[in-house]
Amino acid sequence: MEAFQKIHPLEFYRKYLVRSVRPDGRSLDDIRKTTISTGSITTADGSSFVKIGSTSVVCGVRAEVGEKPSIDKSKFSTLNVHENKNIFINIELGPICSNTFSSKPSDIAMSLCSRLNSLINRLEIPETDYYFDEEGKALWYLYVDVYCLDYDGNIYDAAVLSIISALKNVKLPKGIIENNDEFYKDLESPQRKLNIQHYLIPLSFSVIDDYILADPSLDEEKLSSGTINITYNELNEICLLLSTGTSLISKTNLKTCMEKAKERSTFIIDLINNSGNNNNNNNNNNNNNNNNNNNNNNNNNNNNVEMKE
């Protein structure tokens, strides 16, 4: 069976798809287990770790202070009100995550990076959240780096979830400006979180023949003739709808995909809101393990003392 899969991978999949099941046991619309944790990178201003099946990404946010750009007021009418100028996203897909990629930036990474930077405008973060000082003479600029650790398909969903989770984990200090060019962090003032207006709930699909597969694996992506990326916010408003490839998607299939994406909203929102608890639980477990180890060491020492006596 393994030899047949390697020689004729598409025919191998078709024998399963005709029964509305996949080789990994999932039905066509089943989504792999998704986990999110935040705050694990203590040196970053915000961070997250997302895993969808075997696909895993880590996201770190670095905050830097810069001058507020001067804007020609005559161009206000042509500017997008929610256009983001303070968040810059980069994604790395290297050989560490899959032998599909090399050390050079891939077309997939560059295309994905462009989509993510455009999608971030949908968060509608108030400009005042980026103020370094009270008057906003200087601003915080956030550099978001997404690194794929293991690539087994559906990198878009994992990247979107890691970015929104990391940004919600960001804490920025207030600042003080002296002599117009000396910037200091006000360590006595409480740190602020970003007032992110919306959530981003992504769900991707791959098309193999006439079958639509939710949350595709890497093998399924390689065999697909088309991909559908759908992203909603918590109000069920479409933030992104993109269909790529050579397959034509019928209106019925597209509507089914959109409804499936909407159904995931509540689950993803709860997952993001509770992501900080996952890291706290891990820390508590580590502390408990350390305490248990200390207790074991103390018991061993007591036993050693008794042996000597």
Side-chain angles (χ1 to χ4, degrees):
M1 184 65 75
E2 291 183 5
F4 179 74
Q5 181 181 5
K6 292 180 179 179
I7 299 172
H8 303 288
L10 185 55
E11 289 299 326
F12 175 81
Y13 256 83
R14 283 170 175 162
K15 290 182 180 296
Y16 285 89
L17 296 179
V18 73
R19 298 177 175 85
S20 298
V21 70
R22 300 191 238 184
D24 61 5
R26 290 188 290 158
S27 66
L28 302 188
D29 60 354
D30 271 355
I31 301 169
R32 293 170 294 180
K33 181 180 179 182
T34 304
T35 58
I36 302 176
S37 62
T38 57
S40 56
I41 305 177
T42 57
T43 55
D45 296 287
S47 64
S48 68
F49 175 78
V50 173
K51 191 169 184 179
I52 302 177
S54 296
T55 296
S56 58
V57 300
V58 63
C59 179
V61 182
R62 182 179 80 257
E64 294 185 3
V65 182
E67 295 182 354
K68 186 175 183 178
S70 57
I71 301 177
D72 186 356
K73 293 184 178 181
S74 63
K75 298 180 180 180
F76 275 3
S77 59
T78 62
L79 289 176
N80 183 346
V81 176
H82 301 304
E83 187 174 0
N84 169 62
K85 298 290 186 180
N86 296 77
I87 301 178
F88 307 92
I89 296 173
N90 178 59
I91 184 166
E92 296 286 342
L93 301 175
I96 188 175
C97 68
S98 172
N99 57 14
T100 305
F101 307 107
S102 66
S103 56
K104 297 180 181 179
S106 65
D107 292 339
I108 295 177
M110 290 187 288
S111 174
L112 183 58
C113 192
S114 176
R115 268 182 282 164
L116 294 173
N117 276 288
S118 176
L119 188 63
I120 209 67
N121 294 330
R122 298 289 185 169
L123 296 179
E124 299 181 11
I125 302 173
E127 183 183 1
T128 53
D129 282 16
Y130 300 114
Y131 280 11
F132 175 75
D133 58 306
E134 291 291 343
E135 299 177 2
K137 294 180 179 179
L139 301 176
W140 285 108
Y141 293 89
L142 306 181
Y143 296 87
V144 183
D145 292 302
V146 181
Y147 295 91
C148 183
L149 304 179
D150 195 351
Y151 181 41
D152 188 27
N154 202 6
I155 186 63
Y156 173 79
D157 288 15
V160 171
L161 293 179
S162 71
I163 291 169
I164 183 67
S165 302
L167 288 176
K168 282 186 171 289
N169 181 245
V170 166
K171 293 181 180 179
L172 298 175
K174 276 288 187 180
I176 301 173
I177 301 177
E178 294 183 356
N179 301 325
N180 293 325
D181 60 356
E182 297 179 4
F183 304 92
Y184 301 97
K185 293 181 181 179
D186 185 357
L187 300 179
E188 296 182 358
S189 297
Q191 292 184 321
R192 301 163 293 132
K193 286 195 170 187
L194 296 175
N195 184 23
I196 299 176
Q197 301 294 318
H198 298 293
Y199 290 83
L200 297 174
I201 299 103
L203 186 56
S204 297
F205 302 83
S206 279
V207 182
I208 300 179
D209 293 338
D210 294 328
Y211 302 97
I212 310 294
L213 285 63
D215 179 28
S217 65
L218 178 58
D219 288 339
E220 292 163 352
E221 287 182 348
K222 289 179 178 179
L223 297 174
S224 70
S225 56
T227 301
I228 307 170
N229 300 124
I230 303 174
T231 304
Y232 280 98
N233 62 18
E234 75 287 354
L235 302 176
N236 284 335
E237 297 172 339
I238 294 180
C239 300
L240 181 140
L241 176 56
L242 179 65
S243 176
T244 58
T246 58
S247 292
L248 294 176
I249 311 298
S250 67
K251 290 184 178 180
T252 302
N253 285 337
L254 184 58
K255 185 176 180 180
T256 301
C257 292
M258 294 171 69
E259 291 300 321
K260 182 66 178 178
K262 288 179 182 180
E263 293 173 4
R264 193 161 163 77
S265 296
T266 302
F267 171 75
I268 290 299
I269 291 173
D270 290 341
L271 204 60
I272 294 173
N273 290 340
N274 295 323
S275 58
N277 297 334
N278 292 337
N279 192 51
N280 292 334
N281 291 336
N282 290 334
N283 290 335
N284 291 334
N285 291 335
N286 290 334
N287 291 333
N288 291 334
N289 291 334
N290 291 335
N291 291 335
N292 291 334
N293 290 334
N294 291 334
N295 291 334
N296 291 334
N297 290 335
N298 291 334
N299 292 335
N300 290 334
N301 291 335
N302 292 335
N303 292 335
N304 291 337
V305 170
E306 290 175 2
M307 290 287 289
K308 290 178 181 179
E309 290 179 349

